[in-house]
Amino acid sequence: MKTLDKIPTGKIERAGKLVKTGVKVGGNFVKYYGKKLVNPEHDKEELNEDNASDIYNGLKSLKGSALKVAQMLSMEKNLLPSAYVEKFSLAQFSVPPLSAPLVRKTFKRYLNKFPEEIFDSFERNSINAASIGQVHKATKDGKELAVKIQYPGVAESISSDLAIVKPIAIRMFNLQGKDSDKYFKEVELKLLEETDYSLEFTQSEEITKACRIIPNLEFPKYYKELSSERILTMDWMHGRHLSEFTKQHFDSELGNKLGQALWDFYMFQLHGLRKVHADPHPGNFLVSKEETLVAIDFGCIKQVPDEFYVPYFELAKKENIENDSIFMEKLYELEILSPSDSEIEVKFFKALFKEMLGLFTTPFHDEFFDFGNEQFWSRIAALGERYSKDEHIRKMNGNRGSKHFLYINRTFFGLFNLLHDLKANVEVNSYRKYLT
């Protein structure tokens, strides 16, 4: 794969890249409508593939938050056409890496030494390259190490990148009015945290220490003396990415074991630590030869404050969804409804969220839940399809819910998808035995 000797860091230069991408997308639409005139039955599959490819190619050279947004969207399998999901998922761990000279320059700036002066061996070609950083393999004192290096200018370009992406997101997610700023501020804050590798080091040590009590789960050790705010060094963990593992045959017993470890890991964090690994995509998990699950990235950690945690999980209980008084009370507490809503808005969104929550909280209602159950996923897909075409939603204020929904819903959506890929049947309350 071709390496990058330079990443655009200036606002004008990065905006120019996106404008060029926009021109290509516009050309794709012209081509699509031309074919549509000749053949009214012509579908959007070719258009989606062309747009997905052009958008991804435009973003991958920018790296940073622009590419991170594509990575996040790739997890929304029921939101985007499959062509976008397939192409954007490459942002998880397969984008053009930095060239060797640029890597050496980064080491010299942040650790005051070149990599060959620090490690016994250092592979100049990266093993994985993603949206914010890339990983190189190294050795020191007989240990195999993974060294994550952040791309230059990523942290400095987050605010300007989001300003460019904001109009697209407003249109895609129907974010109307001044309150939409709270969602963008939340994304900006989390992305800035992800670029602080010193913070990631602290978060990694804290969460891995607490979660080691969960069986069939492994974590790397992190090395402070070999790390900085832009470089993070940890043990090299052997295994296959979860996405690679689930594409091949595995028996249901192994799928259940790995799925239970994953479920307990997330439930323990949410209910025990009140913070959670909020980036559950397949690139952040490995399956080892010993058939254990390995978690390898803790850059995106979401704190869950009590004022959100309590009503959120109270609405995970079936009896509270069915109790009209409690249900309405929680909708207001979670900012899904507001005192300024009209009678029509209250009626519409009450019905909408009762149906949505009744479906999405199903895994919490029984002792066991089978995430391989295709009926559950068919119902989710059908609900998403129906509401994506509902004109009432477009006409109403799309700003619904606390800012904390952004990363908590993303966490559950990603978790459910990983468990579905594993076809895991999990014991829902198993995690409780690890809480003190």
Side-chain angles (χ1 to χ4, degrees), residues 170-186:
I170 286 175
R171 184 176 180 182
M172 179 177 288
F173 298 109
N174 193 32
L175 299 175
Q176 303 171 16
K178 62 181 181 180
D179 289 342
S180 64
D181 285 342
K182 70 182 181 184
Y183 303 114
F184 291 101
K185 286 294 183 184
E186 176 76 352

Side-chain angles (χ1 to χ4, degrees), residues 172-432:
M172 179 177 288
F173 298 109
N174 193 32
L175 299 175
Q176 303 171 16
K178 62 181 181 180
D179 289 342
S180 64
D181 285 342
K182 70 182 181 184
Y183 303 114
F184 291 101
K185 286 294 183 184
E186 176 76 352
V187 172
E188 183 176 357
L189 174 63
K190 299 313 296 178
L191 288 174
L192 284 170
E193 288 180 0
E194 285 193 66
T195 63
D196 184 350
Y197 284 0
S198 296
L199 175 62
E200 182 175 347
F201 178 90
T202 302
Q203 292 175 158
S204 301
E205 287 215 313
E206 179 184 354
I207 291 182
T208 58
K209 182 179 179 180
C211 294
R212 288 188 190 279
I213 58 173
I214 300 171
N216 303 313
L217 196 59
E218 289 189 73
F219 309 98
K221 178 182 177 182
Y222 295 81
Y223 298 91
K224 191 168 187 177
E225 68 278 9
L226 302 175
S227 302
S228 72
E229 66 269 32
R230 297 290 183 264
I231 296 172
L232 187 63
T233 301
M234 67 201 82
D235 286 332
W236 180 269
M237 305 300 285
H238 292 272
R240 286 179 290 168
H241 281 117
L242 197 56
S243 56
E244 298 171 9
F245 173 81
T246 55
K247 287 178 182 176
Q248 300 177 357
H249 174 74
F250 56 92
D251 61 51
S252 59
E253 185 178 346
L254 176 56
N256 290 340
K257 183 176 82 168
L258 295 172
Q260 190 68 59
L262 186 64
W263 176 262
D264 288 347
F265 174 49
Y266 273 89
M267 294 305 104
F268 178 83
Q269 291 176 83
L270 283 164
H271 298 291
L273 305 180
R274 299 291 174 89
K275 59 181 66 174
V276 67
H277 178 291
D279 200 6
H281 68 71
N284 282 341
F285 294 94
L286 306 174
V287 178
S288 73
K289 289 182 179 179
E290 291 74 30
E291 299 184 341
T292 60
L293 189 72
V294 184
I296 57 174
D297 192 305
F298 292 87
C300 184
I301 301 297
K302 171 62 183 171
Q303 301 277 346
V304 190
D306 285 349
E307 63 268 21
F308 179 81
Y309 170 88
V310 174
Y312 185 89
F313 283 101
E314 283 180 343
L315 279 186
K317 298 175 182 177
K318 188 176 181 180
E319 63 269 25
N320 288 340
I321 296 175
E322 295 173 348
N323 185 311
D324 198 65
S325 176
I326 294 176
F327 183 71
M328 290 293 288
E329 179 185 331
K330 301 309 165 189
L331 291 187
Y332 281 104
E333 285 183 34
L334 291 168
E335 301 173 43
I336 293 169
L337 294 178
S338 74
S340 62
D341 285 335
S342 67
E343 186 177 337
I344 294 175
E345 286 176 319
V346 170
K347 183 178 179 180
F348 178 82
F349 284 108
K350 175 188 173 183
L352 168 62
F353 279 92
K354 180 158 285 193
E355 184 177 16
M356 288 177 60
L357 288 167
L359 175 57
F360 288 118
T361 63
T362 304
F364 298 97
H365 298 166
D366 294 307
E367 187 177 350
F368 287 88
F369 188 80
D370 183 5
F371 283 93
N373 184 341
E374 292 302 330
Q375 185 180 0
F376 174 66
W377 295 96
S378 296
R379 290 175 62 199
I380 289 178
L383 184 68
E385 178 74 12
R386 178 154 55 89
Y387 280 113
S388 69
K389 297 177 180 178
D390 194 314
E391 292 300 320
H392 293 289
I393 294 178
R394 285 286 169 188
K395 293 175 182 177
M396 294 185 184
N397 189 335
N399 299 345
R400 295 285 157 179
S402 160
K403 65 179 183 180
H404 302 296
F405 271 114
L406 273 178
Y407 281 88
I408 298 302
N409 283 356
R410 175 195 179 197
T411 296
F412 273 108
F413 195 86
L415 173 62
F416 283 10
N417 273 293
L418 294 181
L419 291 166
H420 176 244
D421 291 343
L422 287 166
K423 298 176 173 60
N425 190 350
V426 303
E427 183 182 353
V428 175
N429 294 315
S430 170
Y431 70 92
R432 290 180 178 173

Side-chain angles (χ1 to χ4, degrees), residues 88-100:
F88 287 1
S89 65
L90 295 174
Q92 293 172 3
F93 45 85
S94 182
V95 294
L98 299 181
S99 65

Side-chain angles (χ1 to χ4, degrees), residues 52 70 73-90 92:
L73 287 174
S74 74
M75 296 164 60
E76 305 292 335
K77 296 179 182 178
N78 292 313
L79 176 66
L80 295 177
S82 59
Y84 289 88
V85 173
E86 182 179 346
K87 184 60 71 172
F88 287 1
S89 65
L90 295 174
Q92 293 172 3

